[in-house]
Structures are given as C-alpha cells and as structure tokens.
Amino acid sequence: MSKISLASNPEVLKSEARAMRDANAVIGKTMTQAQALEAVARKHGYRDWNTASAMAPVAGQAPVTVGQQVTGTYLKQKFSARVLGTSILSGGRYFKVTLHFDTPVDVVSFDSFSALRQRVVCRVDASGVSPERTSDGEPHVRLDLPARRRGRKAR
C-alpha cells in the first residue's frame, strides 16, 4: 500500500474506481461506485474515501483569468495582452491560455523580414511560464504575475 502520489487528484482516483468497477463487472462481480471508491482509498493506504479525497491535491487554478490584462514576454518580445481563454490540461500541471496582444508581436529575430502575431495559444504552468523553450533555453512565454501568485502551490 502506498499513499496517494502528488500526481493523483480526486478525478484520477474516481477514474481508477470506475475502471475497478468495470473490471469487476467483466468477471460477474457487481460493485457500486461507492464500494469502488472505498477500495481505491484502501489500496492507496487510506482508511476510507473521505480521507483519501481530502489528502489528494485538487487540480490547480489557472494563473490568469479570462478578460484579465497581462504583460510578459513571448519569444523574448515584451507584450501586453488580454486573456481570451483558459483551460486546465490533462493532469492539472499545465494550462492552455489564449492571449490577444494589444500590439502584434514580431516573432522573427532577423532584421530583413517580420512575422507578426496578435493571437497565440500557449501552455503555461501555475507560475505563468511555458515549458517550451527557445534554442537558447528561454521560455516561449513568461507572464508577469503578481508575487502572490508566483510559486503558489495549487490546492
């Protein structure tokens, strides 16, 4: 028996319970969802489902909200933008954020030509930094967030 890993959250545990219930149904053993939840909790080392779900981390909240005005860098270029959309991505570690730049951003570093972008969809973590990097290691997107949101653990 092992305690629930930090990667697990209540939705993952519920999926595990549904899979357990379905597997039991295949062999002719009926099990309610409540019984499956209790079994999953015991499997992970907890006395019951209530304890397991209270201890499991809940998927995080996006670092920005729809309609919010934000600043930051996109491909090393400073920007100011409005957030058009956010959604949590599978696993809850990253968020999809749609940004509409106030002024188009030139994503080409050559002086001889330009490629302007005004709307981008990017993936960021809870601190507003994308895991994707340029060839020199800089994040594709870095949102300037208030200090209270940076580094805060998702609950």
Side-chain angles (χ1 to χ4, degrees):
M1 287 197 284
S2 64
K3 295 291 184 187
I4 295 171
S5 74
L6 292 177
S8 294
N9 66 51
E11 295 308 312
V12 171
L13 297 174
K14 288 177 185 176
S15 293
E16 187 177 334
R18 278 190 294 278
M20 177 185 288
R21 195 172 106 192
D22 293 345
N24 279 320
V26 168
I27 60 172
K29 182 179 177 188
T30 58
M31 176 183 258
T32 66
Q33 184 66 8
Q35 290 170 325
L37 291 170
E38 294 295 328
V40 166
R42 285 189 300 277
K43 176 182 156 193
H44 286 281
Y46 292 94
R47 68 184 167 117
D48 59 25
W49 170 250
N50 288 338
T51 304
S53 64
M55 298 299 288
V58 176
Q61 184 180 19
V64 292
T65 58
V66 173
Q68 182 178 352
Q69 190 69 28
V70 295
T71 59
T73 56
Y74 177 66
L75 298 175
K76 301 182 194 176
Q77 305 296 318
K78 294 222 174 261
F79 71 80
S80 174
R82 180 156 314 278
V83 178
L84 296 181
T86 64
S87 62
I88 191 166
L89 296 175
S90 150
R93 184 172 176 196
Y94 294 106
F95 305 90
K96 181 171 84 170
V97 177
T98 304
L99 300 171
H100 184 81
F101 299 134
D102 296 339
T103 304
V105 173
D106 190 354
V107 297
V108 176
S109 58
F110 299 108
D111 292 333
S112 57
F113 67 97
S114 294
L116 300 175
R117 299 285 182 270
Q118 188 152 30
R119 185 173 293 180
V120 296
V121 177
C122 53
R123 182 171 66 136
V124 297
D125 62 17
S127 64
V129 178
S130 68
E132 292 79 21
R133 308 282 175 179
T134 61
S135 60
D136 63 355
E138 277 296 309
H140 283 192
V141 175
R142 186 183 305 269
L143 301 174
D144 298 330
L145 301 176
R148 62 183 163 73
R149 293 201 72 126
R150 256 185 257 141
R152 186 176 77 181
K153 294 275 185 202
R155 293 184 187 225

